[in-house]
Amino acid sequence: MSIIIKSASKQDIKSSEITTETDYLNRRDFIKKSGILVSAAWAGGLSLPASAKSSDYGNDYPGLKKTAYGKGENLTSFKDATTYNNYYEFGTGKKDPAKKAVNFKTDPWSITVEGEASKTGTFHLEDILKHAQVEERIYRFRCVEAWSMTVPWVGFSLADMLKRFEPTSKAKYVQFETLYDPKQMPGQVRRVLDWPYRDGLRIDEAMNPLCFMATGIYGRDMPNQNGAPIRLVVPWKYGFKNIKSIVKIKFMEHEPVCTWNVTGPKEYGFYSNVNPDVDHPRWSQATERALGSNFWEPKTKTRLFNGYGEQVAHLYKDMDLTKYF
Ligand SMILES: Nc1nc2c(c(=O)[nH]1)N[C@H]1C(S)=C(S)[C@@H](COP(=O)(O)O)O[C@H]1N2
Ligand SMILES: [Mo]
């Protein structure tokens, strides 16, 4: 069965129900002037993380639910998190995405669901969001290149969304795909990667409560360079599993094609769980450096599963993590 849901685009909802950009800027201005530096959302109980600058926060999600995930973590600044990105569709330099994704059109946006599920079809992002329990979670994020960052992500549980598509018993894996649009994504003009960018998870990994579909960071809508309008965050895996600008979700019986895995099978495994004991063939994974820290500060030790072992180690109980890296 295939269903297609139609509704107003994000643009429509925004202009009629929320605020214009000018209102928004004025409000932020007002907040700054009146000395109320903390967004309304923070009034709800959990306090601002010690390392957070209130000016890093926006208020695109008024009343955003804060959660205990990542409480007490040191946050990477909004600036660092949005000017040092991997997003090859907009160039291979870390500073490219911030410059080249400025005009990327993320609205209207829809996601096509295919494969082993009973509710497949194309869904407007707004309809997906309408059912979503949006909240904030602070997650550590670890790139295979050994830098890490920690930001407050805005989004919702991947499992909650996937269940609504009613995957069949044959759905053993799920694959995600990024938009392919070389007119907008200049990096796609050359075959730097096998476009479109694809990645995937085993279904039990995908259903783990930690997996998060993110639509924002720091209380703001997702910056284009970080994967607007919607991207995956799987905090116990290396950065490249966290696919950006998702347009397709496919439930599959067999292990899906993953772009980095096919590009360099010896360097990027299907699982790519953060693991200090399994080195990348060209460098060690034993240590990491937090984005924004100074080069003279000591590196920190990489933690197995990026520190999320309690929640996810059971998924790999009988697996040789050196073989299934
Ligand atoms: N579509 C797409 N998604 C992607 C990438 C990419 O090049 N294209 N890079 C990945 C890598 S290697 C990392 S480390 C993270 C970076 O996310 P960030 O820019 O929000 O830190 O995005 C991942 N998702
Ligand atoms: Mo990465």
Side-chain angles (χ1 to χ4, degrees), residues 86 143-145 147 239-240:
N86 271 341
C143 183
V144 74
E145 292 160 288
W147 52 265
F240 70 89

Side-chain angles (χ1 to χ4, degrees), residues 39 51 59 87 106 156 175 188 215 229 242 251 312:
S39 82
S51 57
N59 200 11
Y87 196 172
T106 57
F156 53 91
Q175 184 191 45
Q188 288 177 332
T215 62
N242 298 257
F251 293 97
V312 301

Side-chain angles (χ1 to χ4, degrees), residues 14 18-34 36-37 55 57-60 62 78 220:
K14 273 215 162 140
I18 311 179
T19 51
T20 66
E21 184 72 3
T22 343
D23 284 347
Y24 168 63
L25 291 173
N26 288 343
R27 189 176 57 216
R28 282 182 57 199
D29 220 34
F30 166 76
I31 290 168
K32 275 189 216 133
K33 276 185 196 131
S34 58
I36 311 163
L37 283 163
S55 57
Y57 283 84
N59 200 11
D60 291 337
F78 179 79
R220 314 172 191 229

Side-chain angles (χ1 to χ4, degrees), residues 84-159:
Y84 192 87
N85 304 99
N86 271 341
Y87 196 172
Y88 280 20
E89 284 84 343
F90 293 101
T92 53
K94 305 289 182 226
K95 292 190 174 302
D96 288 341
K99 287 183 214 145
K100 297 186 183 169
V102 177
N103 296 317
F104 180 54
K105 201 166 176 284
T106 57
D107 187 7
W109 194 270
S110 54
I111 296 180
T112 300
V113 179
E114 288 181 355
E116 295 296 340
S118 50
K119 292 193 172 160
T120 53
T122 297
F123 303 87
H124 284 293
L125 181 57
E126 289 65 41
D127 291 310
I128 291 173
L129 294 178
K130 244 182 250 164
H131 297 274
Q133 302 230 18
V134 176
E135 62 186 33
E136 180 180 279
R137 298 183 182 185
I138 294 167
Y139 276 160
R140 278 188 306 280
F141 183 95
R142 169 63 156 78
C143 183
V144 74
E145 292 160 288
W147 52 265
S148 66
M149 67 178 201
T150 305
V151 298
W153 300 91
V154 182
F156 53 91
S157 149
L158 172 66

